[in-house]
């Protein structure tokens, strides 16, 4: 246990991240994380995986974690409005943990329910004045979490409303990090919905501000690159991606918000691949997406990320007519689809499977495999439906 604690502390120090910042980023109880980092309590397998992901350690901490580790007992929640805040944050952590493992479909509306209940409490004017600031920040965070889960569940209109609400609440609370997060999520959603003009305006708004933390700037450059790729501007897309990669090589700064920990090599590789795909260069896209997929598989607890990159890689392979590469991706899909429910990835996968069936030049054996994958129960739409 002490080896685990020592390695985790060293990695946090190398990132310039405090234990409190890590607990907030991972949405773990700070007292529990402190006990783990000081060698006074075994880490749970989930915490070990989460720290590996946070610190880019690629399974190092999971290997050091004691084999008989168990989930810690839930700390006793405080009373009153502080207890409500505690409960909201605990719920957000559980929703996100479920999304990481199994996708957002089945928890998106539960998160919205918690958020809306908190919003009504806030709007009622009954939150004590001494707690209003923290309560407002927490509701902003719940709105952001709800927006992300709705996005993953392929409900972009509701997702946009949640992100807009998170942005407004964050500004009312004076919570700059959450404001930046909401803006980034709105840019992400605009790219997803093929609205490059909107994404560019948001990215440029962030980049035009002074004293923006490096990781927030990096994300804005990624969103800008994705939007430029959708307009077909290859030169400027590659310029922004190069700038993002240069920034990624710098250590995370103390000014970076805690939520920015996940901006890493995997994230950038995936966006680079998606940018090439938008530019009509699927062969180049495959390299970046494959790299992102390989890195995602090093964290076994994140099935949602793996199925997202798998769906992207299959689309790139089909567009490049790399049939054997497409086959390699498809044979890994059924087991994932049995446990991961991500509407966003299912939608993309169904469209690609339909494209394979419609492609007269695709090998017959690949079309047969596409039918087999489409028959997995979680892919409720049939290949025939995707032809419409």
């Amino acid at each position: 246990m002490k080896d685990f604690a020592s390695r985790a502390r060293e990695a946090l120090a190398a990132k310039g991240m405090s234990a409190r910042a890590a607990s907030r980023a991972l949405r773990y109880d700070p007292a529990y994380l402190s006990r783990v980092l000081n060698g006074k309590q075994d880490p749970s397998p989930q915490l070990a995986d989460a720290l590996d992901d946070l610190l880019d350690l690629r399974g190092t901490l999971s290997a050091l974690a004691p084999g008989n580790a168990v989930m810690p007992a839930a700390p006793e929640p405080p009373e009153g409005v502080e207890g409500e805040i505690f409960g909201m944050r605990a719920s957000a952590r559980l929703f996100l943990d479920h999304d990481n493992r199994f996708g957002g479909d089945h928890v998106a509306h539960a998160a919205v329910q918690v958020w809306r209940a908190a919003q009504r409490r806030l709007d009622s004017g009954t939150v004590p004045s001494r707690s209003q600031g923290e309560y407002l920040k927490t509701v902003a965070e719940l709105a952001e979490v709800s927006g992300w889960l709705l996005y993953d569940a392929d409900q972009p209109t509701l997702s946009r409303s949640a992100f807009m609400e998170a942005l407004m609440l964050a500004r009312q609370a004076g919570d700059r990090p959450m404001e930046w997060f909401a803006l980034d999520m709105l840019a992400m959603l605009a790219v997803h919905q093929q609205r490059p003009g909107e994404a560019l305006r948001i990215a440029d708004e962030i980049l035009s501000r002074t004293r923006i933390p490096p990781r927030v700037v990096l994300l804005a450059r990624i969103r800008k690159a994705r939007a430029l790729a959708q307009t077909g501007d290859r030169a400027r897309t590659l310029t922004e991606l190069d700038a993002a990669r240069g920034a990624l090589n710098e250590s995370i700064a103390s000014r970076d918000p805690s939520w920015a920990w996940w901006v890493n090599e995997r994230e950038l590789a995936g966006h680079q691949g998606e940018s090439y795909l938008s530019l009509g260069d699927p062969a180049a896209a495959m390299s970046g997406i494959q790299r992102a997929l390989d890195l995602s598989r090093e964290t076994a607890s994140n099935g949602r990320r793996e199925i997202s990159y798998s769906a992207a890689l299959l689309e790139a392979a089909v567009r490049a007519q790399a049939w054997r590469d497409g086959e390699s991706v498809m044979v890994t899909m059924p087991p994932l689809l049995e446990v991961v429910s991500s509407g966003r990835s299912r939608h993309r996968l169904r469209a690609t499977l339909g494209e394979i069936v419609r492609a007269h030049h695709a090998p017959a054996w690949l079309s047969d495999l596409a039918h087999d994958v489409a028959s997995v129960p979680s892919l409720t739409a049939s290949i025939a439906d995707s032809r419409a």
Side-chain angles (χ1 to χ4, degrees):
M1 184 167 65
K2 288 187 176 179
D3 288 342
F4 177 96
S6 298
R7 185 69 184 90
R9 290 198 305 271
E10 289 171 3
L12 282 169
K15 280 275 190 181
M17 181 178 287
S18 68
R20 182 163 291 278
S23 69
R24 183 171 177 81
L26 300 175
R27 292 180 172 84
Y28 270 84
D29 176 54
Y32 163 55
L33 183 59
S34 176
R35 291 194 298 273
V36 170
L37 293 175
N38 286 293
K40 296 179 179 178
Q41 183 170 347
D42 284 347
S44 68
Q46 291 81 3
L47 175 60
D49 282 347
L51 281 169
D52 270 329
D53 207 13
L54 171 63
L55 301 171
D56 294 326
L57 293 178
R58 303 184 182 183
T60 299
L61 292 177
S62 295
L64 291 172
N68 60 349
V70 296
M71 285 291 287
E76 191 69 24
E79 297 180 354
V81 70
E82 288 76 16
E84 293 179 39
I85 293 172
F86 178 93
M88 287 188 283
R89 288 176 174 164
S91 294
R93 179 171 64 82
L94 290 172
F95 292 142
L96 289 171
D97 183 66
H98 183 98
D99 171 63
N100 285 338
R101 295 171 181 275
F102 308 115
D105 286 9
H106 299 303
V107 290
H109 288 288
V112 171
Q113 187 177 31
V114 175
W115 159 42
R116 289 299 189 190
Q119 183 82 54
R120 285 194 296 272
R121 170 88 151 102
L122 185 65
D123 293 344
S124 71
T126 59
V127 177
S129 57
R130 71 179 186 280
S131 303
Q132 280 184 0
E134 200 61 29
Y135 201 97
L136 186 56
K137 289 181 181 180
T138 305
V139 178
E141 182 178 357
L142 275 174
E144 183 278 323
V145 168
S146 297
W148 164 259
L149 295 172
L150 288 164
Y151 165 75
D152 192 54
D154 200 30
Q155 299 185 50
T157 301
L158 295 175
S159 174
R160 180 182 175 84
S161 296
F163 287 144
M164 290 297 293
E165 190 73 18
L167 178 62
M168 183 186 71
L169 292 167
R171 285 175 172 169
Q172 290 174 352
D175 188 345
R176 287 294 179 85
M178 185 53 63
E179 179 183 344
W180 297 326
F181 202 178
L183 283 169
D184 176 68
M185 292 289 97
L186 284 166
M188 173 198 72
L189 185 60
V191 169
H192 176 69
Q193 293 188 292
Q194 299 286 314
R195 296 200 304 264
E198 179 181 341
L200 286 170
R201 290 194 300 273
I202 296 171
D204 285 336
E205 177 187 346
I206 295 172
L207 292 169
S208 69
R209 297 186 182 184
T210 58
R211 292 191 56 76
I212 298 294
R215 279 299 193 269
V216 179
V217 171
L218 191 161
L219 267 170
R221 291 196 180 281
I222 288 175
R223 306 305 182 199
K224 187 171 183 177
R226 292 289 306 276
L228 288 167
Q230 289 180 353
T231 69
D233 193 332
R234 186 184 182 95
R236 291 176 66 198
T237 295
L238 299 184
T239 296
E240 291 296 337
L241 287 172
D242 286 345
R245 182 162 295 283
L248 183 64
N249 293 331
E250 300 174 3
S251 298
I252 192 167
S254 58
R255 293 192 299 119
D256 286 317
S258 59
W259 55 261
W261 62 266
W262 46 265
V263 187
N264 53 22
E265 168 63 26
R266 179 200 63 240
E267 194 76 15
L268 183 55
H271 285 294
Q272 179 177 314
E274 293 279 15
S275 296
Y276 277 116
L277 196 56
S278 295
L279 289 168
D281 191 347
M286 289 176 64
S287 176
I289 299 170
Q290 182 67 64
R291 171 67 174 157
L293 178 58
D294 291 342
L295 290 172
S296 74
R297 284 172 173 163
E298 293 177 2
T299 305
S301 62
N302 202 309
R304 184 259 307 154
R305 188 180 292 143
E306 183 175 351
I307 202 168
S308 175
Y309 288 132
S310 295
L313 184 58
L314 179 61
E315 180 180 339
V318 170
R319 291 191 184 181
Q321 298 186 25
W323 307 127
R324 288 299 180 187
D325 291 301
E327 177 191 28
S328 297
V329 178
M330 274 197 286
V331 296
T332 69
M333 298 297 289
L336 276 173
L337 289 167
E338 293 292 348
V339 296
V340 181
S341 297
S342 167
R344 171 173 57 104
S345 296
R346 287 202 317 275
H347 179 90
R348 186 175 197 175
L349 180 58
R350 285 198 300 266
T352 303
L353 294 173
E355 188 175 339
I356 293 171
V357 172
R358 291 191 300 271
H360 299 298
H361 52 283
W365 52 264
L366 194 72
S367 295
D368 291 342
L369 180 57
H371 276 290
D372 290 342
V373 175
S375 68
V376 173
S378 61
L379 282 176
T380 53
S382 68
I383 287 292
D385 293 335
S386 70
R387 293 178 181 176

